[in-house]
Amino acid sequence: MKGRYDYMSSNARDVQVQLVTEIRDEDRREKMEVNEPGRFFTKGETQVLTFTEHPEEGDPINTMITVKPNHVSIKRSGGVDMRQVFQKDLETENLYHHTYGEFHMKTYTEELEYRSLEQASEGRLYLSYQMTLNHEVTQAHRLTLTFEEESES
């Protein structure tokens, strides 16, 4: 099927994922952390990381992070439905669907750093971006994703 990745891809590896998101606006800071098992695989110049978030409230969220040279996309489905695209010094737009309705979202990426599992024992994605919801609220976001191969026990 076109557009679908083969999850049974021969180079898929089991990884442990830690995702830390920090959100700041004028008077408050929020920090969320997710630790989940995931899968990592490479297809040409594209690297894909998949995992499922299990929030305390609401349905599980399937997350797929696709990394290409100078381009990252994060697709979430399940409890929420959204796709964000990150390209340094560019603004991207999309819609964010969740239980309470739909938001218009603008993302301006200030920093994008990526280190693959091929380059080090721990993969790392760092994004620093401004996100504007419904043309009103702009918040500074920092996303740090680290992942490492599950050790064989």
Side-chain angles (χ1 to χ4, degrees):
M1 216 182 344
K2 204 172 177 191
R4 287 262 177 172
Y5 285 100
D6 176 10
Y7 287 99
M8 297 283 105
S9 177
S10 59
N11 65 5
R13 305 185 224 177
D14 290 322
V15 291
Q16 188 59 40
V17 177
Q18 182 189 52
L19 174 63
V20 177
T21 308
E22 296 171 83
I23 303 173
R24 289 190 320 266
D25 54 27
E26 288 168 16
D27 45 10
R28 69 184 187 102
R29 283 171 176 245
E30 193 180 340
K31 186 173 180 176
M32 294 156 300
E33 191 172 316
V34 172
N35 290 286
E36 298 284 359
R39 304 272 285 156
F40 170 82
F41 59 94
T42 305
K43 198 170 179 139
E45 283 200 319
T46 303
Q47 299 189 341
V48 179
L49 183 66
T50 60
F51 59 95
T52 301
E53 295 176 50
H54 296 90
E56 286 175 23
E57 296 170 20
D59 296 327
I61 300 167
N62 299 312
T63 301
M64 181 163 97
I65 298 175
T66 306
V67 181
K68 297 177 183 175
N70 306 313
H71 181 283
V72 172
S73 80
I74 299 180
K75 184 177 187 317
R76 290 184 156 126
S77 56
V80 300
D81 184 19
M82 63 179 278
R83 180 170 177 262
Q84 264 179 299
V85 175
F86 301 91
Q87 288 180 274
K88 188 169 166 36
D89 297 330
L90 281 181
E91 185 174 78
T92 57
E93 295 186 49
N94 57 14
L95 289 173
Y96 172 59
H97 309 267
H98 67 103
T99 321
Y100 307 107
E102 198 171 87
F103 290 113
H104 177 268
M105 216 165 58
K106 275 203 287 205
T107 304
Y108 178 78
T109 307
E110 296 163 321
E111 288 181 62
L112 188 163
E113 294 169 18
Y114 179 69
R115 182 180 66 217
S116 166
L117 264 189
E118 263 82 55
Q119 298 164 297
S121 60
E122 181 182 78
R124 181 177 185 270
L125 171 66
Y126 173 76
L127 293 167
S128 171
Y129 58 98
Q130 300 285 332
M131 190 167 88
T132 306
L133 279 179
N134 282 346
H135 312 283
E136 291 163 17
V137 183
T138 299
Q139 296 173 320
H141 285 240
R142 277 199 312 220
L143 180 151
T144 307
L145 175 85
T146 51
F147 55 100
E148 55 190 334
E149 207 161 347
E150 288 280 19
S151 51
E152 300 290 321
S153 47

